[in-house]
């Protein structure tokens, strides 16, 4: 039961980051930093952001489905959780090495805290799923 709760929270947070990221370019005027003549660069940034945002939504949704569906099975859930752990470990690492939100320390460390919490929820869920025959 603990795995279901932890994964559900982390999955909803992952989807929330994905949905939020669809609006980040406009909110932070990303394209204002790019020359208007660089139309291919604008298209590339837009495509990358949409792909990234959608990937987070899909990762979160799949994790939620795997943990809540009685048909998914322990192996499929563990594989999904391993992918989630890896994804968020990389995001935490990137925030430590190349911090975003450095305009305001509260934002920078708030993002780091959120990333660490989501990573921790998935990691604990993964470890608990390995220790339990019943999820």
């Amino acid at each position: 039961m603990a795995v279901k709760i932890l994964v559900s929270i982390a999955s909803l947070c992952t989807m929330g980051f994905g949905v939020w990221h669809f609006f980040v370019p406009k909110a932070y005027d990303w394209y204002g930093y790019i020359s208007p003549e660089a139309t291919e660069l604008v298209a590339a940034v837009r495509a990358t952001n949409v792909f990234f945002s959608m990937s987070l939504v899909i990762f979160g949704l799949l994790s939620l489905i795997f943990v809540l569906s009685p048909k998914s099975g322990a192996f499929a859930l563990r594989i999904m959780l391993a992918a989630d752990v890896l994804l968020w470990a990389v995001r935490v690492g990137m925030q430590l090495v190349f911090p975003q939100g450095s305009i305001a320390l509260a934002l920078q460390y708030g993002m780091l805290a959120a990333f660490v919490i989501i990573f921790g929820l998935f990691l604990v869920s993964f470890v608990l799923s390995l220790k339990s025959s019943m999820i």
Side-chain angles (χ1 to χ4, degrees), residues 63-82:
S63 299
L64 203 55
I65 290 169
F66 283 146
V67 78
L68 296 178
S69 173
K71 295 182 179 186
S72 69
F75 180 74
L77 176 61
R78 288 176 183 138
I79 295 299
M80 190 70 227
L81 289 175

Side-chain angles (χ1 to χ4, degrees), residues 30-116:
W30 278 10
Y31 305 115
Y33 298 100
I34 302 172
S35 172
E37 294 82 31
T39 55
E40 287 187 30
L41 180 57
V42 169
V45 169
R46 182 177 294 121
T48 300
N49 187 63
V50 168
F51 183 79
F52 166 75
S53 301
M54 197 64 184
S55 295
L56 283 178
V57 171
I58 291 170
F59 256 80
L61 187 59
L62 287 174
S63 299
L64 203 55
I65 290 169
F66 283 146
V67 78
L68 296 178
S69 173
K71 295 182 179 186
S72 69
F75 180 74
L77 176 61
R78 288 176 183 138
I79 295 299
M80 190 70 227
L81 289 175
D84 288 322
V85 167
L86 181 59
L87 177 77
W88 284 102
V90 169
R91 187 60 189 99
V92 168
M94 291 294 294
Q95 185 67 11
L96 289 170
V97 176
F98 304 107
Q100 290 182 292
S102 56
I103 294 172
L105 286 179
L107 177 60
Q108 179 180 337
Y109 290 110
M111 288 170 64
L112 178 61
F115 300 156
V116 167

